[in-house]
Amino acid sequence: MKRALAALPLLLFVASSAAAAAETRLALFGNRLFVTARVNGIAVEALLDSGAEMSVIDDDFARRLPVRYGSDQLVTGSGGEQSGRFAHGLSIAAAGLRLRNATAVVLDLDDLSKRLVGRPVALILGREIFDKARLRIDIERGTIAAVPRSRRPRGQRLPLATARGVETMPASIEGLPPAAAEFDLGNGSEVLVGRAYAERTGLLAPDRVVGRADGGGIGGRISREVVMLRTLTLAGRTFENVRAAIDPTGTAPDLNVGTSILRHFIITADFAEHALWLEPRPPRASRR
């Protein structure tokens, strides 16, 4: 789930040790990943979202914290715009990492919680946790851990590029040249295809559209056309008959790939080194 935000002060990240941290459990709920976190010492189940430019705190949860508020902030999400406020001076800990003097944006997450996730979301843990640690994520086993950079990860290495504050990786649909696909662990629904890219590639031809589906995260509900991609290729693995929704927002990337595809890999992400390793799972080991 993407957020477009203003420039933020640098955060200080402290790993629990120089070596690999112990594995932390991930819970998969409705195809979305939750990890136990602590904000200013208060435990909370956080939605893990690599497609969020920064972390987001629900306004009800923020009232339980000693929060130092800053300026108002207009946040652009996958469903539109929503007003919020910056909160400064936070301590956020998760997956063996601690963010000191962190800044997050405070929003009303009630609509997103009920409509999209199906459970209360008090904290969306954004890309900050990925920025200064190499993380190994196994969606099927339900684990996340910081791992040392001295050990080369298994799997195919993909370059990451930053676009509007979100990391993108190369992926290809239907044999076309690779396109920039957002690496979005916060997307628990279909692959998303930007409308401009869909129009260029003929995906919006009348015979390609198979229906509509409600979507949209922060900013509200939107209705999207749905198509079936004949193939989607990522890190050398090709998926057939992939359901995809057309993202009509003006800033939509070519593609956005979430947990429906990423769960078929063991993931090692290193945003600081602009690298992602995807190790395919044997097909029989994946839940579909």
Side-chain angles (χ1 to χ4, degrees), residues 41-258:
I42 299 177
V44 62
E45 292 300 306
L47 174 66
L48 184 66
D49 189 355
S50 61
E53 246 184 283
M54 68 179 300
S55 294
V56 180
I57 297 176
D58 178 63
D59 56 355
D60 291 331
F61 181 58
R63 294 187 186 99
R64 299 173 55 192
L65 306 171
V67 173
R68 178 166 55 86
Y69 285 107
S71 60
D72 293 341
Q73 175 64 35
L74 189 64
V75 176
T76 301
S78 58
E81 294 182 336
Q82 187 173 336
S83 297
R85 298 177 69 186
F86 282 133
H88 303 290
L90 301 172
S91 172
I92 303 175
L97 302 172
R98 185 177 298 277
L99 286 66
R100 302 185 189 278
N101 197 29
T103 296
V105 66
V106 177
L107 297 175
D108 182 350
L109 296 179
D110 286 350
D111 174 68
L112 178 144
S113 298
K114 295 173 184 176
R115 173 177 52 81
L116 194 64
V117 182
R119 64 180 286 183
V121 177
L123 171 66
I124 298 173
L125 188 59
R127 67 165 293 154
E128 299 99 330
I129 197 171
F130 295 85
D131 279 330
K132 287 288 178 80
R134 177 175 289 184
L135 295 177
R136 188 175 190 272
I137 299 167
D138 190 331
I139 296 173
E140 291 298 317
R141 287 186 61 239
T143 60
I144 181 173
V147 295
R149 292 190 168 101
S150 58
R151 190 176 307 162
R152 180 177 176 81
R154 294 181 177 179
Q156 182 170 332
R157 184 186 189 277
L158 300 178
L160 292 176
T162 307
R164 292 187 173 91
V166 179
E167 297 304 308
T168 66
M169 58 192 173
S172 175
I173 63 168
E174 301 186 351
L176 295 171
E182 289 183 342
F183 168 66
D184 190 358
L185 291 171
N187 174 7
S189 55
E190 305 96 344
V191 170
L192 298 178
V193 182
R195 175 170 290 277
Y197 182 71
E199 290 173 345
R200 294 197 306 271
T201 55
L203 291 177
L204 287 177
D207 62 328
R208 297 299 306 267
V209 177
V210 299
R212 301 191 69 89
D214 286 340
I218 285 176
R221 183 193 307 268
I222 57 174
S223 179
R224 297 169 173 153
E225 295 148 302
V226 175
V227 301
M228 295 298 292
L229 304 177
R230 297 184 183 102
T231 61
L232 184 149
T233 301
L234 178 65
R237 178 164 178 180
T238 297
F239 301 85
E240 297 181 348
N241 300 319
V242 176
R243 182 180 170 90
I246 306 302
D247 186 344
T249 58
T251 59
D254 290 348
L255 300 171
N256 175 296
V257 175

